[in-house]
Amino acid sequence: MAASFELGVFFQVWPSSPFPSRPFSRPFLSSHACRAAASSSGGDPEALQPERTVVRFGLPSKGRMADETLSLLKNCQLSVRQVNPRQYVADIPQLSNLEVWFQRPKDIVRKLQSGDLDIGIVGFDTVSEYGQGNEDLIVVHDTLEYGACRLSLAIPKYGIFENINSLHELAQMPQWTTERPLRIVTGFSYLGPKFLKEKGLEYVSFSTADGALEAAPAMGIADAIIDLVSSGMTLRENDLKEIEGGVVLASQAVFVASKRSLNTREGVLEITHEILERLEAHLRATGQVTVVANMRGNSAKEVAERILSQTSLSGLQHFVI
């Protein structure tokens, strides 16, 4: 009578993903890299509050980014415990000596720079806009695989822009002069001007606004906008279009830390390492499944050969445990 063998068959799958693969210049850092980054910090340790011994972790307080951040941490076995939903402070039972502070994303970046927070999760666009190249901010993990969007320039589909399809063509339009510059409205008052200056656009003026920027060209307030774009549906519904060369940066959620905190505050490096390992383990496991089945056969080898002979079961890569 044939014996019954239990085999674990591991399948690696690659689902289509909307997220760019490692789109940022700085890859995620190992604990050794964190330690090296911390030791190279040129900041003034006295700028930190020496009396504070607890590590502070900043998370988005509202919106989709907040919900997806909590979901990611839960999947990493790091459940954020908030006694009162109206309170801005919480904890993670699995990590001792850690406070979670719910803040607006831009305030997370600002407080990382001021020393009021030590680590945080925000969008890369927020780090870039409010960090403004501050070397004290270090992106520990740059692809958390949610919150994907792009900061992009958009112009009307109609009028003088109807046949304009690239940033170069936009810059060459004869309408722009010192007296009548290209008018752009944006909520990104640092990244927007920096981008167009680097691209060599000479006659440009900026105005700052938050929310419903897509209406500005139709109202005659601006010629173009620079705003975050996900699917592009809102742009299309307002007769706007992105153009070639007009993407300022690609963004998604990132894990960020203060170099000064990593270097000077006790426990920050160790907690950062722990969170980083859990994040990376979860993200690497995404898309992988293990199938365990009981099958009759004279030996484990015979059962394995029967399984792998079936193309519908073996997959592109397969391992028998």
Side-chain angles (χ1 to χ4, degrees):
M1 181 176 179
S4 177
F5 293 90
E6 183 176 283
L7 297 180
V9 185
F10 172 81
F11 296 91
Q12 172 79 53
V13 297
W14 292 268
S16 59
S17 172
F19 305 106
S21 176
R22 303 288 185 200
F24 309 118
S25 59
R26 185 191 298 275
F28 78 91
L29 301 178
S30 67
S31 59
H32 297 292
C34 283
R35 191 177 300 278
S39 63
S40 66
S41 172
D44 178 11
E46 293 181 359
L48 293 174
Q49 302 169 9
E51 70 277 5
R52 177 165 65 84
T53 58
V54 67
V55 178
R56 289 179 177 172
F57 187 13
L59 297 181
S61 57
K62 296 179 181 179
R64 184 175 178 180
M65 176 72 80
D67 295 338
E68 292 185 337
T69 299
L70 293 177
S71 177
L72 172 64
L73 292 174
K74 184 177 181 180
N75 289 334
C76 296
Q77 307 303 312
L78 296 173
S79 298
V80 177
R81 183 174 60 184
Q82 191 176 15
V83 178
N84 186 334
R86 294 182 179 274
Q87 291 180 333
Y88 288 97
V89 64
D91 68 356
I92 297 177
Q94 296 84 0
L95 299 174
S96 61
N97 197 41
L98 176 75
E99 290 179 347
V100 173
W101 285 83
F102 293 101
Q103 302 283 295
R104 294 183 302 176
K106 62 182 179 182
D107 289 335
I108 292 175
V109 177
R110 288 168 174 165
K111 290 176 181 179
L112 282 168
Q113 295 177 89
S114 68
D116 295 310
L117 292 174
D118 304 304
I119 54 179
I121 292 179
V122 289
F124 184 68
D125 58 290
T126 306
V127 176
S128 302
E129 173 67 18
Y130 296 97
Q132 300 187 4
N134 189 330
E135 294 184 356
D136 183 55
L137 293 176
I138 179 170
V139 175
V140 181
H141 199 300
D142 62 10
T143 48
L144 298 184
E145 298 191 359
Y146 67 94
C149 61
R150 57 192 177 275
L151 183 61
S152 190
L153 184 145
I155 60 176
K157 296 179 180 179
Y158 50 84
I160 61 174
F161 300 102
E162 183 175 1
N163 297 317
I164 302 299
N165 297 302
S166 71
L167 188 63
H168 175 74
E169 292 174 351
L170 180 65
Q172 296 300 313
M173 292 178 66
Q175 284 87 348
W176 318 131
T177 64
T178 304
E179 293 75 23
R180 176 58 174 91
L182 173 66
R183 300 168 303 159
I184 297 179
V185 62
T186 183
F188 291 82
S189 57
Y190 171 75
L191 290 176
K194 180 177 180 289
F195 173 74
L196 291 184
K197 181 179 180 181
E198 291 173 350
K199 294 299 182 179
L201 274 73
E202 186 175 358
Y203 304 115
V204 184
S205 66
F206 284 89
S207 58
T208 304
D210 293 317
L213 301 187
E214 293 83 2
M219 296 177 68
I221 299 173
D223 302 302
I225 68 171
I226 292 180
D227 201 10
L228 293 176
V229 180
S230 295
S231 66
M233 183 178 297
T234 304
L235 292 181
R236 293 190 293 271
E237 290 179 347
N238 287 275
D239 289 328
L240 299 176
K241 62 183 178 181
E242 296 177 89
I243 56 178
E244 180 183 348
V247 176
V248 179
L249 59 77
S251 179
Q252 62 177 287
V254 298
F255 180 30
V256 64
S258 162
K259 280 186 180 181
R260 288 178 298 160
S261 290
L262 289 170
N263 189 46
T264 63
R265 194 175 304 287
E266 183 178 357
V268 175
L269 186 63
E270 291 74 18
I271 287 178
T272 300
H273 181 204
E274 175 72 17
I275 295 174
L276 176 60
E277 282 197 334
R278 288 173 179 259
L279 289 171
E280 188 61 17
H282 169 71
L283 294 171
R284 286 185 178 182
T286 301
Q288 300 178 357
V289 296
T290 300
V291 179
V292 179
N294 290 317
M295 298 187 65
R296 292 186 177 276
N298 294 317
S299 67
K301 181 179 179 181
E302 178 186 331
V303 173
E305 289 175 348
R306 287 168 58 188
I307 292 175
L308 298 182
S309 66
Q310 302 294 319
T311 56
S312 61
L313 295 177
S314 58
L316 296 176
Q317 288 187 1
H318 47 261
F319 305 94
V320 178
I321 302 171

